[in-house]
Amino acid sequence: MKKFARMIVKHRKLVLLIGVLLMIPSLYGMTNTRVNYDLLTYLPEELDSMKGQEVVDKVFHKAATGLLIIEDMESKDVIKLKEKIDEVEGVEKTLWISDLMDITIPKEFLPSDIKDVFYSENSTLMMIEFTHEAASDATQTAIEDIRGIMNKQCFLSGMSAILRDTIKLADKETPIYVLLAVVLATIVLALTLESTIVPLIFLAAIGMAILYNFGTNIFLGEISYITKSLAAVLQLGVTMDFSIFLLHRYEDELKINSNKDEAMAVAITKTATSIAGSSLTTIAGFLALAVMKLGLGKDIGFVMAKGVFIGVICTITILPALILTFNKVIHRFNHGTVLPSFNGTANFVTKHYKKFVVLFVLLFIPFIYGKANTEVYYNLDESLPRNLDSIVALDKLKTGYDMTTTHMIVIDSETPSYQAKEMLGEIEQLPGVQSVIGYDKLVGPAIPYEYVPDKLTDILEKDGHKLILVNSSFKAATDEQNKQLQDMNDIVKKYDENGMVTGEGALTKDLVELADVDFKNVSIASIVAVFAIILLVFGSVSIPIILVGTIELAIFINMGIPYYTNTTIPFVSSIVIGTIQLGATVDYAILLTTRFREEIRHGHDKIEAMRLSLLGSVRSIVTSALTFFGATVGVGFIADMEMIKSLTGMISRGAIISMFVIIFMLPALLLLFEGFIAKTSRKWRRN
């Protein structure tokens, strides 16, 4: 490692040149990586709801469906609007009452089953089927074209329209997230570091690492919009530790060796060794998300683990080259910091460590309960601002047409018509079912197949499948709808064992069930992975228990607070926040514990060793935690997307909670169990 470090120092200009040149392909990769805005597509393909969705998409082209509410418009004008929409590229077809019967028939004389679907007081409903899937570029362009045709009497909703508004909102806000994270992180670094220039150098090195990470995402095929929105902010906050550790080690070496090149070579060598364990725990924490059955976990996990690894490489290559290149400027513009010496903190913690142990135990009780009872929501539209065009339209659908959610049932077209009608009748009797539309209900066995309009056949029966649409007044992810879906599935299976129930409600129900399993799996995987790495780094059985237990308390506090503040959080937060907080802040615990072991090996008694450890590490811990806080807290305040707001808000809060727990609780536990640690750790008291 020493030879590598000296090579970096000697060829620093070449290192920077290579670093700059690598930005070119990275920019290409970043701009050409597809972004997925439909979280439901991350469900496992083997689920019935996903199989049914594929049939609905590929055969009936209804997976991408828009619902257009038209208020106070004459039928003849609705026909003209319909014809214009039919001509839009990317639209497969539209469905309105005119496709089923003569529009000259007064709506009062229409069968109630049909009238309730297409009319509500002063408005009418038109269904728009798109040629491609909801998140495709073609469908999104078609949405914009349709909105160009619409006037203020029209309101377009459906998953395709909601995705379009999500894309526009995310594209508008993501650059603001990054800019705000950079500004706030710079302010924190300027206040906590002695140099005015160093924060800019840190941000330059980390910025290049972030660009490399986003550029290499092209090899993953696509990333989710949540990953796109958060990855840069998280990578900035998580990998800033490594830069701070390198700078502090370099400054320490300069006090011993006035030759800056040699001092930096030693600093690189020692930093690489010290951040090896901490970076591995962070990477392991993010990779633990890959055990999720929901594909979103792999998406966030792989991108962030890759980002941390790239961050480590840049810390021991690009950052040293930048520091040495601007060494004179760095030391020319020095100033004081707002951070105290922490003498009082070190003395207070070591003097009262037994009280902090008691507090550690007592805090678990209320926050384990709070974490277990925090309310979680799964409805994706709830994470979006209510003033978005598609959400306004969705609210009109719910109130005017009782179409809170629409289920789609796919059965074999060989199912006898009389059995299909019986099935439809049973489904109609289920609580919360507002209307059922099926081929056999509208046509029936008395009408010969050849007399059935082709458009109606294409809509409800095609390529060996029958499609049934069920409108429900129940909200997705509620107990009432989940019970309704279970009963509906039982009815469908009774008539066709290969029948499938799909749609937003069924997909969300599967999402709820998967999320519960994923939460447990991710928690266990992250704890086991981090535990194993700490065990290897310290050669100790007891230290992993103490360190992981300390961070878990911080996680319980963070995830328990929403219960006591009566806050409902999105399901994604409940799954990933613990892993992110564990992986990102366990570095602080490793830093303090490593320093404590060094002081013990120097011959100090445990109290003095801990006092010196706190004096030597608290500044780094506070600087890192505040930088992580600064990089995420701003996003939590300004984000309009509730999912992003909740995630970043909890991450920023978690950084501060972990900081306090590690500074006050961890020293107490290490002091209390120091004798036990010595017996269960390799070479704890001797070098």
Side-chain angles (χ1 to χ4, degrees):
M1 190 65 200
K2 194 70 173 288
K3 289 182 179 179
F4 172 80
R6 284 176 175 155
M7 182 184 71
I8 296 296
V9 170
K10 181 179 179 181
H11 301 289
R12 51 182 174 269
K13 291 183 180 178
L14 178 61
V15 170
L16 291 179
L17 177 61
I18 294 172
V20 171
L21 291 176
L22 285 175
M23 293 172 67
I24 299 172
S26 296
L27 280 169
Y28 174 83
M30 182 177 72
T31 54
N32 286 277
T33 299
R34 186 177 180 275
V35 180
N36 187 348
Y37 293 85
D38 188 356
L39 296 187
L40 293 177
T41 60
Y42 288 103
L43 287 166
E45 294 180 357
E46 66 269 15
L47 295 175
D48 265 5
S49 58
M50 288 295 283
K51 291 177 181 177
Q53 193 77 356
E54 185 176 4
V55 173
V56 169
D57 183 16
K58 304 299 182 186
V59 177
F60 293 98
H61 301 290
K62 284 187 176 59
T65 302
L67 299 170
L68 181 64
I69 297 175
I70 307 163
E71 295 182 344
D72 299 314
M73 187 178 288
E74 295 289 337
S75 294
K76 60 183 178 61
D77 295 323
V78 175
I79 291 290
K80 291 178 182 178
L81 177 64
K82 182 179 185 302
E83 290 171 350
K84 289 181 181 179
I85 294 174
D86 276 327
E87 293 175 1
V88 170
E89 187 175 353
V91 172
E92 181 75 12
K93 56 177 163 303
T94 56
L95 174 65
W96 190 52
I97 189 68
S98 61
D99 294 307
L100 301 180
M101 53 190 60
D102 195 328
I103 61 170
T104 59
I105 300 174
K107 65 180 181 180
E108 291 78 14
F109 293 100
L110 295 175
S112 59
D113 288 341
I114 295 177
K115 184 179 70 174
D116 291 344
V117 171
F118 290 101
Y119 292 103
S120 174
E121 296 183 0
N122 65 330
S123 70
T124 186
L125 180 67
M126 183 187 300
M127 299 179 188
I128 304 170
E129 296 177 20
F130 297 99
T131 307
H132 304 283
E133 63 270 15
S136 68
D137 293 338
T139 299
Q140 294 305 308
T141 301
I143 292 286
E144 286 298 302
D145 292 341
I146 292 170
R147 283 177 169 171
I149 297 170
M150 290 163 40
N151 57 29
K152 62 182 181 180
Q153 297 167 267
C154 303
F155 304 87
L156 181 62
S157 188
M159 185 56 71
S160 304
I162 292 173
L163 285 177
R164 182 63 197 153
D165 288 340
T166 303
I167 291 169
K168 291 168 70 174
L169 185 61
D171 287 349
K172 182 184 79 172
E173 290 197 344
T174 299
I176 300 174
Y177 299 160
V178 177
L179 178 62
L180 188 60
V182 168
V183 170
L184 293 179
T186 303
I187 292 172
V188 171
L189 291 170
L191 293 173
T192 55
L193 296 177
E194 294 181 350
S195 173
T196 306
I197 305 300
V198 160
L200 301 178
I201 291 175
F202 280 2
L203 291 171
I206 294 174
M208 292 170 76
I210 290 172
L211 183 57
Y212 302 154
N213 189 27
F214 273 71
T216 52
N217 285 338
I218 195 170
F219 298 111
L220 299 178
E222 66 176 25
I223 60 173
S224 73
Y225 79 93
I226 292 180
T227 305
K228 179 188 175 184
S229 300
L230 291 179
V233 173
L234 283 179
Q235 189 174 340
L236 172 63
V238 168
T239 60
M240 185 62 74
D241 302 1
F242 310 147
S243 302
I244 294 169
F245 295 165
L246 177 74
L247 178 68
H248 286 173
R249 182 64 72 173
Y250 174 57
E251 290 174 344
D252 288 344
E253 294 302 325
L254 280 178
K255 296 173 184 177
I256 303 170
N257 190 341
S258 59
N259 185 324
K260 68 178 189 301
D261 286 3
E262 187 60 25
M264 180 57 79
V266 175
I268 292 171
T269 304
K270 291 185 176 179
T271 300
T273 303
S274 63
I275 68 175
S278 59
S279 63
L280 281 175
T281 54
T282 307
I283 290 171
F286 284 121
L287 286 179
L289 293 172
V291 305
M292 288 173 59
K293 290 186 176 181
L294 186 68
L296 180 64
K298 296 182 181 69
D299 188 80
I300 298 175
F302 288 152
V303 171
M304 285 310 306
K306 177 162 59 71
V308 174
F309 176 75
I310 292 172
V312 171
I313 300 301
C314 289
T315 299
I316 58 175
T317 55
I318 292 173
L319 182 59
L322 285 170
I323 291 174
L324 288 175
T325 301
F326 296 99
N327 189 68
K328 290 182 180 179
V329 182
I330 289 172
H331 291 91
R332 186 182 304 166
F333 297 99
N334 279 2
H335 57 78
T337 74
V338 298
L339 295 180
S341 63
F342 292 104
N343 274 312
T345 303
N347 292 330
F348 181 75
V349 171
T350 52
K351 182 179 180 181
H352 301 286
Y353 77 89
K354 292 182 180 178
K355 294 178 182 177
F356 283 113
V357 171
V358 174
L359 181 62
F360 174 83
V361 175
L362 292 177
L363 282 174
F364 265 106
I365 300 170
F367 287 106
I368 285 178
Y369 179 82
K371 173 178 173 289
N373 290 278
T374 293
E375 291 290 329
V376 176
Y377 72 81
Y378 297 85
N379 273 357
L380 302 181
D381 63 272
E382 287 189 15
S383 68
L384 297 172
R386 306 315 299 175
N387 61 352
L388 289 181
D389 290 344
S390 58
I391 301 301
V392 171
L394 182 64
D395 290 338
K396 285 182 175 290
L397 268 177
K398 292 176 180 178
T399 56
Y401 293 85
D402 284 328
M403 291 177 67
T404 304
T405 52
T406 299
H407 311 309
M408 290 175 277
I409 301 171
V410 178
I411 61 172
D412 195 314
S413 60
E414 296 298 320
T415 304
S417 183
Y418 77 92
Q419 288 189 356
K421 291 194 73 170
E422 286 178 11
M423 182 181 73
L424 296 177
E426 288 189 43
I427 292 173
E428 281 183 316
Q429 299 305 312
L430 292 176
V433 171
Q434 295 299 312
S435 62
V436 179
I437 302 175
Y439 177 87
D440 296 285
K441 181 178 180 181
L442 296 178
V443 179
I447 302 177
Y449 185 86
E450 57 269 18
Y451 290 103
V452 178
D454 291 340
K455 196 158 190 176
L456 183 60
T457 305
D458 286 344
I459 291 169
L460 298 176
E461 183 170 357
K462 196 173 183 181
D463 295 347
H465 300 282
K466 288 182 179 180
L467 179 66
I468 300 160
L469 303 177
V470 181
N471 291 324
S472 170
S473 62
F474 293 150
K475 195 175 183 181
T478 59
D479 292 339
E480 294 87 356
Q481 176 150 119
N482 290 341
K483 175 67 166 58
Q484 181 191 74
L485 283 164
Q486 185 58 55
D487 292 342
M488 193 179 300
N489 189 63
D490 291 342
I491 293 171
V492 171
K493 295 293 185 184
K494 183 170 68 174
Y495 291 94
D496 179 3
E497 61 181 14
N498 296 316
M500 297 168 286
V501 180
T502 187
E504 181 192 354
L507 291 166
T508 305
K509 178 176 180 288
D510 286 337
L511 190 65
V512 172
E513 294 171 355
L514 276 180
D516 292 339
V517 176
D518 280 344
F519 175 73
K520 295 172 185 174
N521 290 343
V522 167
S523 297
I524 293 170
S526 60
I527 289 172
V528 169
V530 172
F531 185 97
I533 291 169
I534 296 174
L535 186 149
L536 293 173
V537 169
F538 285 96
S540 170
V541 175
S542 52
I543 289 178
I545 298 173
I546 294 171
L547 267 56
V548 172
T550 303
I551 303 297
E552 283 300 309
L553 171 63
I555 292 170
F556 287 160
I557 294 173
N558 192 21
M559 296 185 69
I561 286 175
Y563 171 76
Y564 294 105
T565 58
N566 198 28
T567 303
T568 304
I569 63 174
F571 76 97
V572 173
S573 296
S574 68
I575 297 173
V576 306
I577 192 66
T579 299
I580 291 174
Q581 188 173 341
L582 174 62
T585 63
V586 74
D587 299 359
Y588 313 156
I590 291 174
L591 175 66
L592 178 63
T593 307
T594 302
R595 189 61 180 261
F596 182 51
R597 183 177 63 179
E598 288 179 9
E599 299 302 338
I600 288 287
R601 287 176 174 179
H602 288 160
H604 298 293
D605 67 81
K606 66 180 184 180
I607 299 295
E608 180 63 12
M610 182 54 71
R611 192 185 71 82
L612 293 173
S613 300
L614 287 166
L615 288 176
S617 57
V618 168
R619 286 171 66 90
S620 294
I621 293 171
V622 170
T623 301
S624 298
L626 289 179
T627 304
F628 196 14
F629 173 79
T632 52
V633 69
V635 179
F637 275 110
I638 69 154
D640 281 332
M641 290 185 288
E642 182 58 34
M643 196 170 292
I644 304 298
K645 179 188 284 288
S646 173
L647 267 172
T648 50
M650 293 184 74
I651 289 168
S652 61
R653 185 174 67 206
I656 299 301
I657 294 171
S658 290
M659 179 187 76
F660 278 106
V661 168
I662 288 165
I663 291 175
F664 292 99
M665 308 289 184
L666 179 58
L669 294 173
L670 291 173
L671 286 172
L672 180 67
F673 295 108
E674 196 276 333
F676 178 68
I677 292 171
K679 293 178 181 177
T680 56
S681 306
R682 180 169 50 86
K683 298 181 180 179
W684 174 255
R685 289 177 178 165
R686 61 188 179 86
N687 200 337

